[in-house]
Amino acid sequence: VHDLAYSEMAFDGYKPPSILQVEGAGEVAVEFHSLSKSFNMAGCRIGFLAGNREAVGALGALKANIDYGVFLPVQEAGIAALQQDMEGAIPSVGAVYEERRDAFLDALREEG
């Protein structure tokens, strides 16, 4: 199980690797992602799991019995965000957070 929920928040050119990039990982591994920071959907509690089909199905069956679905308009907003991202229409929020980090570090340095 790999938690890659905030992979877009990497700075300085670093790209966090996906476990699913490893040959054969799709047979044994799963990876969690979140739309909270990546698509400015904090509070919507929406994300997804990718990887081993059996494990993904098991989580779906479990949640169907103990959980409830995310409000449909929020699901549709998540779908639209992912589609626009695949088209390259959404700028990386990681760059925004990196810029904020850099400004904060500069201010700290100025204060000693």
Side-chain angles (χ1 to χ4, degrees):
V1 176
H2 187 221
D3 183 1
L4 197 61
Y6 300 116
S7 61
E8 291 83 3
M9 298 298 114
F11 303 144
D12 304 320
Y14 177 72
K15 302 281 187 209
S18 164
I19 196 168
L20 300 175
Q21 291 174 282
V22 175
E23 187 174 335
E27 304 291 324
V28 296
V30 292
E31 189 166 79
F32 285 97
H33 292 269
S34 169
L35 278 64
S36 294
K37 297 268 190 290
S38 308
F39 297 98
N40 296 308
M41 294 183 73
C44 293
R45 311 302 301 157
I46 189 164
F48 61 92
L49 178 67
N52 176 274
R53 182 180 304 268
E54 186 178 329
V56 171
L59 180 63
L62 177 67
K63 289 184 69 61
N65 288 292
I66 63 169
D67 206 350
Y68 58 91
V70 174
F71 185 51
L72 185 59
V74 171
Q75 292 181 50
E76 291 172 353
I79 291 167
L82 291 170
Q83 287 173 333
Q84 288 182 1
D85 187 53
M86 290 179 69
E87 296 167 3
I90 297 179
S92 168
V93 296
V96 173
Y97 282 91
E98 184 173 9
E99 186 176 309
R100 291 175 183 172
R101 181 216 50 186
D102 292 346
F104 179 66
L105 291 176
D106 289 343
L108 288 175
R109 281 187 201 99
E110 287 179 20
E111 293 299 320

